[in-house]
Amino acid sequence: MIRRVFLGLLVVCAAALPLRLQAGSGEPPPAGSIRFDVHYGSQGFKVGEASHQWTLADGRYELQLTLEARGLAGLFGLQYAQRSVGTLDRSGLRPELFTVDQRGRKTESAHFDWKAARVSIRRDGVERRAGEIGAGAQDLLSLWHQARRIAVGQEPARLTVVTSKSVKKAVLEPLGKETLSLPIGRVEALRVRAYAEEGGLDIDIWLSEQHGLLPVRIRIEDEKGGVLDQRAAQVDVGSPGTAAETKTK
């Protein structure tokens, strides 16, 4: 079950008809990192930690996520790194390359060809499948930051979300404001749900109003009901490696 949840993070979701996205309130810091406590199951047992870094500058972005499982979860080799790079424009993030490096597995990647409106999904450099993309398409990691674009809106958006496994139609739905109690403290957040219309993807993303709508909680539920829940334990903003800790009371 644990393996299915973690592998669910790597599923490629994609879709077709982009809707007009709305800008969220405030701007995210141009660089920084978030450390998450990673919990699994209905009882919320902590199984490890994840570290997310981002840089948004000069019309480009780079995002990274490194997840380290511990204890029994670590025995399954559930350590991986995701990376997303691309450009920034008025519509938000526009991915060019998404990669996944998982212990004991060959590198998986998604290559975006915007001129051809096509994404190539590869393993160890060899194309395994391909799919169509349209305006607003995201990968599974860039989705964390793109979600802020519709968080303050009233209508859901259809979009293409790409990881390293498959292509599916997905919906990004704003669910309003909630108060969270996280390791970093009490946080007012806007909640957005991302789900595939035909199943295989169900993610809730909470964006902190105190931190420029940065993602401070990400909850993934698989088709079997298994839950992976990442909760922010520390938020650093500033230059990578020299960021000052942001404490929320």
Side-chain angles (χ1 to χ4, degrees), residues 205-233:
I205 303 169
W206 285 264
L207 306 164
S208 170
E209 292 187 321
Q210 291 99 309
H211 302 89
L213 296 185
L214 289 173
V216 292
R217 184 183 178 190
I218 300 93
R219 183 182 184 275
I220 301 103
E221 183 172 351
D222 70 6
E223 294 176 315
K224 302 294 184 179
V227 174
L228 187 71
D229 195 346
Q230 300 176 77
R231 308 170 189 171

Side-chain angles (χ1 to χ4, degrees), residues 1 7 12 14 16 22 29 32 42 51 76 80 82 100 121 124 138 140 142 148 151 171 173 179 206 227 235 242 248:
M1 179 65 75
L7 293 181
V12 179
Q22 301 185 36
S42 59
S51 178
F76 289 93
Y80 63 80
Q82 296 178 345
V100 178
I121 301 167
D124 200 28
Q138 302 296 313
L140 192 58
S142 66
R148 66 184 300 276
V171 176
E173 180 181 14
T179 301
W206 285 264
V227 174
V235 178
T242 61
T248 303

Side-chain angles (χ1 to χ4, degrees), residues 24-29 34 36 54 144-145 147-148 151-152 176-182 184-192 204-218 231-235 237 246-249:
S25 59
E27 292 297 327
I34 303 173
F36 294 96
W54 73 91
W144 290 17
H145 290 262
R148 66 184 300 276
V152 298
K177 182 182 294 188
E178 296 183 8
T179 301
L180 301 180
S181 180
L182 298 173
I184 58 172
R186 191 177 180 87
V187 175
E188 298 295 328
L190 299 181
R191 181 179 180 181
V192 178
D204 286 290
I205 303 169
W206 285 264
L207 306 164
S208 170
E209 292 187 321
Q210 291 99 309
H211 302 89
L213 296 185
L214 289 173
V216 292
R217 184 183 178 190
I218 300 93
R231 308 170 189 171
Q234 181 175 319
V235 178
V237 296
T246 298
K247 296 182 179 179
T248 303
K249 297 182 179 179

Side-chain angles (χ1 to χ4, degrees), residues 61-64 82-86 95 97-99 139 141-142:
Y61 79 85
E62 179 173 354
L63 312 174
Q64 296 186 51
Q82 296 178 345
R83 180 172 179 263
S84 174
V85 296
L97 176 65
F98 175 71
T99 60
D139 60 58
L141 186 54
S142 66

Side-chain angles (χ1 to χ4, degrees), residues 31 44 49 66-67 70 72 78 88 95 109 120 129 132 136 139 154 166-167 170 220 223 234 249:
E49 295 183 348
T66 302
L67 191 149
R70 298 175 180 174
L72 292 177
L78 300 174
L88 295 167
S109 59
S120 173
R129 59 184 60 85
E132 295 181 356
D139 60 58
Q154 301 298 317
S166 64
V167 177
I220 301 103
E223 294 176 315
Q234 181 175 319
K249 297 182 179 179

Side-chain angles (χ1 to χ4, degrees), residues 65-207:
L65 176 70
T66 302
L67 191 149
E68 293 286 342
R70 298 175 180 174
L72 292 177
L75 296 179
F76 289 93
L78 300 174
Q79 283 80 14
Y80 63 80
Q82 296 178 345
R83 180 172 179 263
S84 174
V85 296
T87 60
L88 295 167
D89 58 26
R90 292 183 178 180
S91 298
L93 283 67
R94 196 180 195 205
E96 295 175 345
L97 176 65
F98 175 71
T99 60
V100 178
D101 289 296
Q102 187 175 12
R103 176 180 292 181
R105 296 175 179 268
K106 295 179 179 180
T107 298
E108 296 178 316
S109 59
H111 301 252
F112 292 73
D113 185 340
W114 290 98
K115 290 184 178 179
R118 181 180 186 273
V119 61
S120 173
I121 301 167
R122 307 174 188 178
R123 178 180 296 173
D124 200 28
V126 178
E127 183 171 282
R128 303 297 296 271
R129 59 184 60 85
E132 295 181 356
I133 56 173
Q138 302 296 313
D139 60 58
L140 192 58
L141 186 54
S142 66
L143 180 67
W144 290 17
H145 290 262
Q146 186 71 5
R148 66 184 300 276
R149 294 271 165 177
I150 63 101
V152 298
Q154 301 298 317
E155 300 295 331
R158 299 179 185 274
L159 75 166
T160 300
V161 181
V162 180
T163 70
S164 61
K165 295 293 184 183
S166 64
V167 177
K168 295 181 181 180
K169 293 181 179 181
V171 176
L172 203 57
E173 180 181 14
L175 298 179
K177 182 182 294 188
E178 296 183 8
T179 301
L180 301 180
S181 180
L182 298 173
I184 58 172
R186 191 177 180 87
V187 175
E188 298 295 328
L190 299 181
R191 181 179 180 181
V192 178
R193 181 188 177 209
Y195 62 93
E197 295 179 322
E198 58 187 61
L201 176 74
D202 195 347
I203 302 176
D204 286 290
I205 303 169
W206 285 264
L207 306 164

